[in-house]
Amino acid sequence: MTVRIGVIGTGAIGRDHARRIQHVLSGGTIVALSDVNRASAEAVRADIAPDATVYATGQELIAAPDVDAVLVTSWGTTHEEYVLAAIAAGKPCFCEKPLATTADGAKRIVDAEVAHGKRLVQVGFMRRYDEGYVALKKVVDTRIGAPIMVHAAHRNPTVPEAYVTPMAIHDTLIHEIDVFRWLLDDDYVSARVTFPRSCARTHAKLRDPQIVTLTTAKGTVINTEVFVNCHYGYDIQCEVVGEDGIAKLPEPVSIRMRLDAKLQNDILTDWKDRFVASYDVELQDFLKAAAQGTASGPTSWDGYMAAVTSDACVAAQEVEGQSVPITLPTRPALYA
Amino acid sequence: MTVRIGVIGTGAIGRDHARRIQHVLSGGTIVALSDVNRASAEAVRADIAPDATVYATGQELIAAPDVDAVLVTSWGTTHEEYVLAAIAAGKPCFCEKPLATTADGAKRIVDAEVAHGKRLVQVGFMRRYDEGYVALKKVVDTRIGAPIMVHAAHRNPTVPEAYVTPMAIHDTLIHEIDVFRWLLDDDYVSARVTFPRSCARTHAKLRDPQIVTLTTAKGTVINTEVFVNCHYGYDIQCEVVGEDGIAKLPEPVSIRMRLDAKLQNDILTDWKDRFVASYDVELQDFLKAAAQGTASGPTSWDGYMAAVTSDACVAAQEVEGQSVPITLPTRPALYA
Amino acid sequence: MTVRIGVIGTGAIGRDHARRIQHVLSGGTIVALSDVNRASAEAVRADIAPDATVYATGQELIAAPDVDAVLVTSWGTTHEEYVLAAIAAGKPCFCEKPLATTADGAKRIVDAEVAHGKRLVQVGFMRRYDEGYVALKKVVDTRIGAPIMVHAAHRNPTVPEAYVTPMAIHDTLIHEIDVFRWLLDDDYVSARVTFPRSCARTHAKLRDPQIVTLTTAKGTVINTEVFVNCHYGYDIQCEVVGEDGIAKLPEPVSIRMRLDAKLQNDILTDWKDRFVASYDVELQDFLKAAAQGTASGPTSWDGYMAAVTSDACVAAQEVEGQSVPITLPTRPALYA
Amino acid sequence: MTVRIGVIGTGAIGRDHARRIQHVLSGGTIVALSDVNRASAEAVRADIAPDATVYATGQELIAAPDVDAVLVTSWGTTHEEYVLAAIAAGKPCFCEKPLATTADGAKRIVDAEVAHGKRLVQVGFMRRYDEGYVALKKVVDTRIGAPIMVHAAHRNPTVPEAYVTPMAIHDTLIHEIDVFRWLLDDDYVSARVTFPRSCARTHAKLRDPQIVTLTTAKGTVINTEVFVNCHYGYDIQCEVVGEDGIAKLPEPVSIRMRLDAKLQNDILTDWKDRFVASYDVELQDFLKAAAQGTASGPTSWDGYMAAVTSDACVAAQEVEGQSVPITLPTRPALYA
């Protein structure tokens, strides 16, 4: 069966996902497109999916009888309404992060999905599909004993002027927040933020770097350095310390050279290159589940937990050095 | 357009390629199957391609009007006839190595394709699609100056009793023979084989390890250690020494652990795991070109050159330590 | 000139230093020995320094006219009195850590040395002489921009039953406390300790692992994991994050092997092997300065600062998660 | 006992060894100096060994009653006569490579030492004392099974105009020739040289790079790339392939940095930095043995074998691609 997909939001990521489904992945076809800027949707139709219908609104697209499943790749502020509509229509829905712009919004999606009684939503936390993290999880689960600490770093060479301190959580740490819950199979109970002196390359509204300490229900302590003006490259580091040993996320594949008196590998500088292969895998996973009328991978609950944790981390930024508790709601059976 | 594929030979690799086309890749569908063991073809139909027709012979399959393109994954001895038939039918054809069991056989395919006037054949040299080799080639082409030497190794933990000395060329080195021609954009002019003392784990009919020295038209010297009883793992090593620097094929992605007083990464032990991702890429490349009625990637000419070089290497085994010249036929314009 | 050395305390480390001076280093000779267990001193005389005189007490040894300089390698509780006596006698003195068992005791030594007006004391913080740390300091000083964060770890495979929580500071972290002051050319202003859940291998009186966060006067934040039941080996890790880049302490020299399906290097398991070469260098430095009647390397002030910082870290253990301020006394000009 | 040393030849290496003995090592003192350029010897006396006597000739120095042992660090052409004189005087003698400029000359030294009946000569093959090679030998002897192949490289960034093809053997490969005999505990039976096309940076009288293949009595095949215009750095590589696994010479200690979009370590560019620490160890070994009136470490026989092998390699350069046999003389019992 070929899953007939509608894409709401045809900007960079929407267009790229449409291309994947048409030209790279198996089992899906783009039949519907929509964007607030209709010309954008028309262009994707012209370039990628000539047989697709362009709809004036996302709601119309969701309602279209020949749309089996939906990709929500519009602006973050619109995610909640489209995901709720897809659930109401009983159609599988892949939603890019954030699931909603508030924890309450994410909670409304969880409630709707639980009421529906079957998983329909996959959140676009692509790192769970990255070859390196998948290999790391296997080792963490089987080789190094129970995890006790994680030492991590999320570094960008630079960020735009508009990037302010809380965005280090909402736009950057959000990936670690999700992936460590999955990696450790655990939940967070508190957050603390420590600020070293800020680096010279930052600006008045961004304290950079910062160290975010998350403690889990099982007592694991995760320290993540977030440094978004690190200059040298885009670099994701993660080391898990277990009872018996330590495991480290692999570096991206690159060529070791001996050149110019240096033993050297290139480091990526553009975040878009770092997890590019995992987008293919996550969408293939979506297509496979959607063909069965359901969803797989990161859940609405995961999206909600990420929102709750992010809020706590931002609160922790405001009381530097103090521990902010994270209240764990009861997990519905649907997400057990 | 969806390319309708017929598969001749539904053993392990044929079945796996059928799975790829049905479940992983974009743009192809399995419509026809054939195997000398009809039950094998029926099983693949049942498991993977329920809408496919099973044909009694490869020739019938090739002739079927709804077959747009052909995968030849039957026994090596039958490759030549099926590839020639596909060319005669004007249908794109992906042929697993070897293209033919003799250089003359490969030459007949080259001649037929040249007579046809358009590329129709892709040979299954999957390493050219491996992420590591692709990255290495980019660096060799742009960063380290003109290549002068290559130091390589092809190691298997063990081989069956039936594996005898010439198979170290035909079954093992064959991959290096092709990939280095591509990597260096060069041709071979001579071969020499050196035998160290054989390892204790080998048997009377297999001298193991051996070092094969290939010299190219541009004067690059390639030393490849072939060691098929190395015991510790399946390991492919390649280092290119250029005028300005050196580049090394990356190790496969694995997790670095600190465990049991060792800083350690697992080494693969099964060759099937080493280039598994590149099979997807090579077949996607085939589907894309087949949709245009042609072929891409490794050519019949490459298959022919691999056969000519293999023959020279086997001759060099028989005159250990002496250089055996490799005569370069003129390359037809089709493969320029 | 050959410096005539007296050794007070001829246990394992005293004996080993005597051997160094007699058989490895240039410019010194052992002329005097003393130990509370006289037989121990006699044994070192017999084995290593047959021409040395054995004294009943350290004080007598210090007073002996043919003793130019003193090594204090006795029990920690006796260090203060011997160092003070050496200063009173105007003799250069190498003292193993701790300089004194209390910050007040260390302060008395500082005061005595300042009153004397010339450096006479070197404290045995050998890491400053380690090839790896020396190379790291050079890079930190010149290549990576101003340091902002340090991520470090001090791991032992196991510790004896008698090792309790505060010893993780006094016996273990003490080395990081000193070496990071030197590496960063900075002083500490606060300490915080975070305890993940303890590992299963520890015991009731030892919370293990722990993460100690030190903040410096310049605003650098240093996180050091102390994990003394890590099981897998003795492992010292240190990574400095600067404005422009990151530098990492090298692993000890070891052989990379491909063996048993693992790419592997041995990790040390005995702490005594990790910095063994640096003992030679630190003592050679002592001999060189002693020949000039003075001392070099880590100062009494460094020993005092280490004691003050250790006390703050232990206080921080008792108020887990809270920041404990470290008051910086004024640095005497002698140690500028 | 302090060994009283005379140094013949006070150029760069002689001066440096004098400094070692006076200021770094234990158990020796410089009492005599000699150089064809007397001013050079006077300068070393002034700077390093003020109590030493300067002699007009090496022969006088050797004859001086207060000279216990001799360092021969003069021009290579004079080594033989001084070593023979030292043997005649029954004095331990450390001789920088080459032991003699011809195999016959080396043989005369062997004969003289055998006639003397006790080892007196240590040849300056310092690599045997390098921490990395020592660790490698331990692993080769105990962990990876019997060695079958060695893959090695000796690379210099550049060489002077006067450096011609045979010097790649006599001045460069000579170190590998000795160290692999020691590492493998084996002897050579044949040599072959392969020349890839020469690199653009070389000149008319130097074919560069070259690959030298040495085969041992036990059947191990050693391929060493000699590339003295490699541009990127001074780099010594060595990998031993055994029956059970592979071991690799460690890289020199250096700091891994993340900087400028590169994960990078500096590579040395000056050969003098590569084995600097091993000079200390080899001379300490000499002093220790000399105190017993004998010699340790690399023997005259090793120097002779290196000369014989070098001659075969140069002969092999002249018959490119052909195997040149190396005749093994009978090893005298003194060197068993």
Side-chain angles (χ1 to χ4, degrees):
Chain A
M1 170 204 164
T2 296
V3 181
R4 297 167 298 176
I5 303 284
V7 180
I8 304 174
T10 54
I13 183 71
R15 166 180 279 262
D16 205 36
H17 283 345
R19 176 193 61 77
R20 278 189 178 88
I21 285 165
Q22 289 298 89
H23 297 316
V24 180
L25 305 176
S26 175
T29 186
I30 302 294
V31 298
L33 298 161
S34 176
D35 197 275
V36 286
N37 173 7
R38 188 180 177 102
S40 162
E42 300 281 2
V44 171
R45 179 171 61 180
D47 296 347
I48 295 172
D51 299 333
T53 303
V54 171
Y55 291 87
T57 68
Q59 301 293 3
E60 287 171 75
L61 178 148
I62 292 166
D66 69 337
V67 167
D68 299 319
V70 180
L71 304 194
V72 178
T73 49
S74 49
W75 283 101
T77 49
T78 67
H79 287 185
E80 181 184 345
E81 69 172 285
Y82 293 133
V83 174
L84 287 172
I87 293 171
K91 297 186 177 181
C93 169
F94 175 91
C95 180
E96 275 300 332
K97 74 170 180 70
L99 178 59
T101 52
T102 63
D104 284 349
K107 181 61 165 50
R108 283 187 288 270
I109 291 171
V110 163
D111 290 345
E113 198 180 29
V114 167
H116 179 77
K118 191 171 70 169
R119 277 199 59 190
L120 288 176
V121 180
Q122 176 179 347
V123 182
F125 288 127
M126 76 292 180
R127 282 200 196 175
R128 297 187 183 200
Y129 295 94
D130 170 66
E131 180 181 21
Y133 277 109
V134 168
L136 180 61
K137 181 161 178 56
K138 191 171 172 189
V139 162
V140 168
D141 286 348
T142 61
R143 305 277 290 268
I144 63 167
I148 305 178
M149 289 169 288
V150 177
H151 308 305
H154 188 143
R155 301 183 189 120
N156 288 59
T158 185
V159 287
E161 274 295 308
Y163 186 110
V164 294
T165 299
M167 293 174 71
I169 305 301
H170 287 306
D171 282 31
T172 300
L173 189 74
I174 185 75
H175 288 289
E176 274 77 19
I177 287 173
D178 179 68
V179 87
F180 293 151
R181 277 185 70 246
W182 165 82
L183 182 68
L184 303 174
D185 193 20
D186 207 344
D187 276 300
Y188 304 120
V189 296
S190 70
R192 177 190 285 127
V193 175
T194 308
F195 292 104
R197 71 173 178 77
S198 283
C199 68
R201 286 189 180 88
T202 193
H203 56 78
K205 295 189 176 164
L206 174 59
R207 298 186 73 174
D208 181 51
Q210 53 195 276
I211 299 169
V212 182
T213 305
L214 288 164
T215 304
T216 74
K218 294 176 187 165
T220 301
V221 172
I222 303 161
N223 271 315
T224 303
E225 171 201 327
V226 180
F227 188 7
V228 297
N229 287 288
C230 84
H231 191 63
Y232 75 82
Y234 183 75
D235 199 3
I236 302 299
Q237 296 290 325
C238 171
E239 193 176 51
V240 182
V241 181
E243 294 265 352
D244 299 328
I246 295 180
K248 193 173 180 307
L249 185 70
E251 303 282 336
V253 169
S254 72
I255 300 297
R256 199 175 63 182
M257 290 174 280
R258 293 169 189 273
L259 199 65
D260 298 331
K262 290 186 175 58
L263 181 58
Q264 57 181 261
N265 291 59
D266 288 350
I267 293 177
L268 297 175
T269 53
D270 189 336
W271 63 267
K272 289 190 289 286
D273 298 331
R274 179 63 178 86
F275 294 106
V276 66
S278 60
Y279 293 110
D280 289 352
V281 188
E282 73 170 358
L283 275 187
Q284 188 68 70
D285 198 34
F286 177 70
L287 292 175
K288 193 176 163 194
Q292 309 299 322
T294 185
S296 179
T299 66
S300 294
W301 182 255
D302 295 326
Y304 174 42
M305 288 296 93
V308 167
T309 307
S310 293
D311 288 351
C313 291
V314 171
Q317 287 179 329
E318 288 160 14
V319 293
E320 178 187 355
Q322 294 180 39
S323 180
V324 170
I326 300 174
T327 305
L328 286 175
T330 305
R331 187 195 294 241
L334 184 61
Y335 310 108
Chain B
M1 169 203 167
T2 297
V3 181
R4 296 168 300 175
I5 302 284
V7 180
I8 304 173
T10 54
I13 183 72
R15 168 182 277 264
D16 206 36
H17 283 345
R19 176 194 60 78
R20 278 189 178 88
I21 285 166
Q22 289 299 91
H23 297 315
V24 180
L25 305 177
S26 174
T29 187
I30 302 295
V31 299
L33 298 160
S34 176
D35 198 274
V36 287
N37 173 8
R38 188 180 177 101
S40 161
E42 300 282 1
V44 171
R45 179 171 60 180
D47 297 346
I48 295 172
D51 299 334
T53 304
V54 172
Y55 290 89
T57 69
Q59 301 294 1
E60 286 172 76
L61 179 149
I62 291 167
D66 70 337
V67 168
D68 298 321
V70 180
L71 304 194
V72 178
T73 49
S74 49
W75 284 101
T77 48
T78 67
H79 287 185
E80 182 184 345
E81 70 173 285
Y82 293 134
V83 174
L84 288 172
I87 293 172
K91 296 185 178 181
C93 171
F94 174 91
C95 180
E96 275 300 330
K97 73 172 181 69
L99 179 59
T101 53
T102 64
D104 284 349
K107 181 61 165 50
R108 284 189 287 270
I109 290 171
V110 163
D111 291 344
E113 197 180 29
V114 167
H116 180 78
K118 189 170 70 168
R119 279 200 58 190
L120 288 176
V121 180
Q122 176 181 347
V123 182
F125 288 128
M126 75 292 181
R127 283 201 197 173
R128 298 188 184 199
Y129 294 94
D130 170 67
E131 180 182 21
Y133 277 110
V134 168
L136 180 61
K137 181 160 176 57
K138 190 170 173 190
V139 162
V140 168
D141 286 348
T142 61
R143 305 277 289 269
I144 63 167
I148 304 178
M149 290 169 287
V150 178
H151 307 307
H154 188 144
R155 303 184 187 120
N156 288 58
T158 186
V159 287
E161 275 295 306
Y163 186 110
V164 295
T165 300
M167 292 175 72
I169 307 300
H170 287 306
D171 282 32
T172 301
L173 189 74
I174 185 76
H175 289 288
E176 273 77 18
I177 287 173
D178 179 69
V179 85
F180 293 150
R181 278 186 68 246
W182 166 81
L183 183 68
L184 303 173
D185 194 18
D186 207 343
D187 276 300
Y188 304 120
V189 296
S190 70
R192 176 190 285 127
V193 174
T194 307
F195 291 104
R197 70 173 179 77
S198 283
C199 68
R201 288 190 179 87
T202 193
H203 56 79
K205 295 191 176 163
L206 173 59
R207 299 186 70 175
D208 181 52
Q210 52 196 278
I211 299 169
V212 183
T213 305
L214 288 163
T215 304
T216 74
K218 295 176 187 165
T220 300
V221 172
I222 303 161
N223 271 314
T224 304
E225 170 200 328
V226 180
F227 188 6
V228 297
N229 287 287
C230 83
H231 191 63
Y232 74 82
Y234 182 74
D235 199 5
I236 302 299
Q237 296 289 326
C238 172
E239 192 175 53
V240 181
V241 181
E243 293 266 352
D244 299 329
I246 295 180
K248 194 173 181 305
L249 185 70
E251 304 283 335
V253 169
S254 72
I255 300 296
R256 198 175 64 182
M257 290 173 280
R258 294 169 189 272
L259 200 63
D260 298 332
K262 290 187 175 57
L263 180 59
Q264 57 181 261
N265 292 59
D266 288 350
I267 294 177
L268 297 174
T269 53
D270 188 336
W271 63 267
K272 288 191 288 287
D273 298 331
R274 179 64 178 86
F275 295 106
V276 66
S278 59
Y279 293 110
D280 289 352
V281 188
E282 74 170 358
L283 275 186
Q284 188 69 70
D285 199 34
F286 176 70
L287 291 175
K288 193 174 163 194
Q292 309 298 321
T294 185
S296 179
T299 66
S300 295
W301 183 255
D302 295 326
Y304 175 41
M305 288 297 94
V308 167
T309 306
S310 293
D311 289 351
C313 290
V314 171
Q317 287 180 329
E318 288 160 13
V319 293
E320 178 186 356
Q322 292 180 40
S323 180
V324 170
I326 300 174
T327 305
L328 286 174
T330 305
R331 185 194 294 242
L334 183 61
Y335 309 107
Chain C
M1 170 205 166
T2 295
V3 180
R4 297 167 299 175
I5 303 284
V7 180
I8 303 174
T10 54
I13 183 70
R15 166 181 278 264
D16 205 38
H17 283 344
R19 176 193 60 79
R20 280 190 177 87
I21 285 165
Q22 290 297 90
H23 297 316
V24 180
L25 305 177
S26 175
T29 187
I30 302 295
V31 298
L33 298 161
S34 176
D35 196 275
V36 287
N37 173 7
R38 188 180 177 102
S40 161
E42 300 281 2
V44 171
R45 180 171 60 179
D47 296 347
I48 296 173
D51 298 333
T53 304
V54 172
Y55 291 88
T57 69
Q59 301 293 2
E60 285 171 75
L61 179 149
I62 292 167
D66 70 337
V67 168
D68 298 321
V70 179
L71 304 194
V72 178
T73 48
S74 49
W75 283 101
T77 48
T78 66
H79 288 185
E80 182 185 345
E81 69 173 285
Y82 293 134
V83 174
L84 288 172
I87 293 171
K91 296 186 178 181
C93 170
F94 175 92
C95 180
E96 276 300 331
K97 73 173 183 67
L99 179 59
T101 52
T102 63
D104 284 349
K107 181 63 164 49
R108 283 188 288 270
I109 290 171
V110 164
D111 290 344
E113 197 180 29
V114 167
H116 179 77
K118 192 171 68 168
R119 278 200 58 191
L120 287 176
V121 180
Q122 176 180 346
V123 182
F125 288 127
M126 76 290 180
R127 283 201 195 173
R128 297 187 183 200
Y129 294 94
D130 170 66
E131 180 182 22
Y133 276 109
V134 168
L136 179 61
K137 180 160 177 58
K138 191 171 172 188
V139 163
V140 168
D141 286 348
T142 61
R143 304 277 289 269
I144 62 167
I148 304 178
M149 291 169 286
V150 177
H151 307 306
H154 188 144
R155 301 184 189 119
N156 288 58
T158 186
V159 286
E161 275 295 306
Y163 186 110
V164 293
T165 300
M167 292 175 71
I169 305 301
H170 288 306
D171 282 31
T172 301
L173 188 74
I174 185 77
H175 288 288
E176 274 76 18
I177 287 173
D178 179 68
V179 86
F180 293 150
R181 278 186 68 245
W182 165 81
L183 183 68
L184 303 173
D185 193 18
D186 207 343
D187 276 301
Y188 304 120
V189 296
S190 70
R192 175 190 287 127
V193 175
T194 308
F195 292 105
R197 71 174 178 76
S198 283
C199 68
R201 288 189 179 86
T202 193
H203 56 79
K205 296 191 175 162
L206 173 59
R207 299 186 72 175
D208 181 51
Q210 53 195 277
I211 300 169
V212 183
T213 304
L214 287 163
T215 303
T216 74
K218 294 176 187 165
T220 301
V221 172
I222 304 162
N223 271 315
T224 304
E225 171 201 328
V226 180
F227 188 6
V228 297
N229 287 288
C230 83
H231 191 63
Y232 75 83
Y234 182 75
D235 199 4
I236 302 299
Q237 296 289 326
C238 171
E239 192 175 52
V240 182
V241 181
E243 294 266 351
D244 299 329
I246 295 179
K248 195 173 180 305
L249 185 71
E251 304 283 335
V253 169
S254 72
I255 300 296
R256 199 174 63 181
M257 290 174 280
R258 294 170 189 272
L259 199 63
D260 298 331
K262 290 186 175 58
L263 181 59
Q264 58 181 260
N265 291 59
D266 288 350
I267 293 177
L268 297 175
T269 52
D270 188 337
W271 63 267
K272 288 191 288 288
D273 297 331
R274 179 63 179 87
F275 295 106
V276 65
S278 60
Y279 293 110
D280 289 352
V281 188
E282 72 170 358
L283 276 187
Q284 188 68 71
D285 199 33
F286 176 70
L287 291 175
K288 194 175 163 194
Q292 309 299 322
T294 185
S296 179
T299 65
S300 295
W301 182 255
D302 296 326
Y304 174 42
M305 288 296 93
V308 166
T309 306
S310 293
D311 288 351
C313 291
V314 171
Q317 288 180 328
E318 289 160 14
V319 292
E320 178 187 355
Q322 293 181 39
S323 180
V324 170
I326 299 174
T327 304
L328 287 174
T330 304
R331 185 194 294 242
L334 182 61
Y335 310 107
Chain D
M1 170 204 167
T2 296
V3 181
R4 296 167 300 175
I5 302 283
V7 180
I8 304 174
T10 54
I13 184 72
R15 165 181 279 264
D16 206 35
H17 283 345
R19 174 192 62 77
R20 279 188 177 88
I21 285 165
Q22 290 297 91
H23 297 316
V24 179
L25 306 176
S26 174
T29 186
I30 302 295
V31 299
L33 298 160
S34 175
D35 197 275
V36 287
N37 173 8
R38 188 180 178 101
S40 161
E42 301 280 3
V44 171
R45 179 171 60 181
D47 297 346
I48 295 172
D51 298 334
T53 304
V54 171
Y55 290 88
T57 68
Q59 301 294 1
E60 287 172 76
L61 179 148
I62 291 166
D66 69 336
V67 167
D68 298 321
V70 179
L71 303 194
V72 178
T73 49
S74 49
W75 283 102
T77 48
T78 66
H79 287 185
E80 182 185 345
E81 69 173 287
Y82 294 133
V83 174
L84 288 173
I87 293 170
K91 297 186 177 180
C93 169
F94 175 91
C95 180
E96 275 301 331
K97 72 170 182 69
L99 179 59
T101 53
T102 63
D104 284 349
K107 181 61 165 49
R108 283 188 287 270
I109 290 170
V110 163
D111 290 344
E113 197 180 29
V114 168
H116 179 78
K118 191 171 70 168
R119 278 200 59 191
L120 287 175
V121 180
Q122 176 180 346
V123 182
F125 288 128
M126 76 292 182
R127 282 200 196 175
R128 297 187 184 200
Y129 295 94
D130 170 66
E131 179 182 21
Y133 277 109
V134 168
L136 180 61
K137 182 161 176 55
K138 191 171 173 189
V139 163
V140 168
D141 287 348
T142 61
R143 304 276 291 268
I144 63 167
I148 304 177
M149 291 169 286
V150 178
H151 307 306
H154 188 143
R155 303 184 187 119
N156 288 59
T158 186
V159 288
E161 274 296 307
Y163 187 108
V164 294
T165 300
M167 293 174 71
I169 306 300
H170 288 305
D171 282 31
T172 301
L173 189 74
I174 185 74
H175 289 289
E176 274 77 17
I177 287 173
D178 179 68
V179 86
F180 292 150
R181 278 185 69 246
W182 165 82
L183 183 67
L184 302 174
D185 192 19
D186 207 344
D187 276 300
Y188 304 119
V189 296
S190 71
R192 176 190 285 127
V193 175
T194 308
F195 291 105
R197 71 174 179 74
S198 283
C199 69
R201 288 190 179 86
T202 192
H203 56 79
K205 295 188 176 166
L206 173 60
R207 298 186 73 175
D208 181 53
Q210 53 195 277
I211 299 169
V212 183
T213 305
L214 288 163
T215 303
T216 74
K218 296 176 186 165
T220 301
V221 172
I222 304 162
N223 271 315
T224 305
E225 171 201 326
V226 180
F227 188 6
V228 296
N229 287 288
C230 83
H231 191 63
Y232 74 83
Y234 183 75
D235 199 4
I236 302 300
Q237 296 289 325
C238 172
E239 193 175 53
V240 181
V241 181
E243 294 265 351
D244 299 329
I246 295 180
K248 194 173 182 304
L249 185 71
E251 303 282 335
V253 169
S254 72
I255 300 296
R256 198 174 64 182
M257 290 173 280
R258 294 170 189 271
L259 199 64
D260 299 330
K262 290 186 175 59
L263 181 58
Q264 57 181 262
N265 292 59
D266 288 351
I267 293 176
L268 297 175
T269 53
D270 188 337
W271 63 268
K272 287 189 291 286
D273 298 330
R274 179 63 178 85
F275 295 106
V276 66
S278 58
Y279 293 110
D280 289 352
V281 188
E282 73 170 357
L283 276 186
Q284 187 69 69
D285 198 34
F286 177 70
L287 290 175
K288 193 175 163 195
Q292 310 298 323
T294 185
S296 178
T299 66
S300 295
W301 182 255
D302 295 326
Y304 174 42
M305 287 297 92
V308 167
T309 306
S310 293
D311 288 351
C313 290
V314 170
Q317 287 180 329
E318 287 160 15
V319 293
E320 179 189 355
Q322 293 180 40
S323 181
V324 170
I326 300 174
T327 305
L328 286 175
T330 305
R331 186 194 293 241
L334 183 61
Y335 310 109

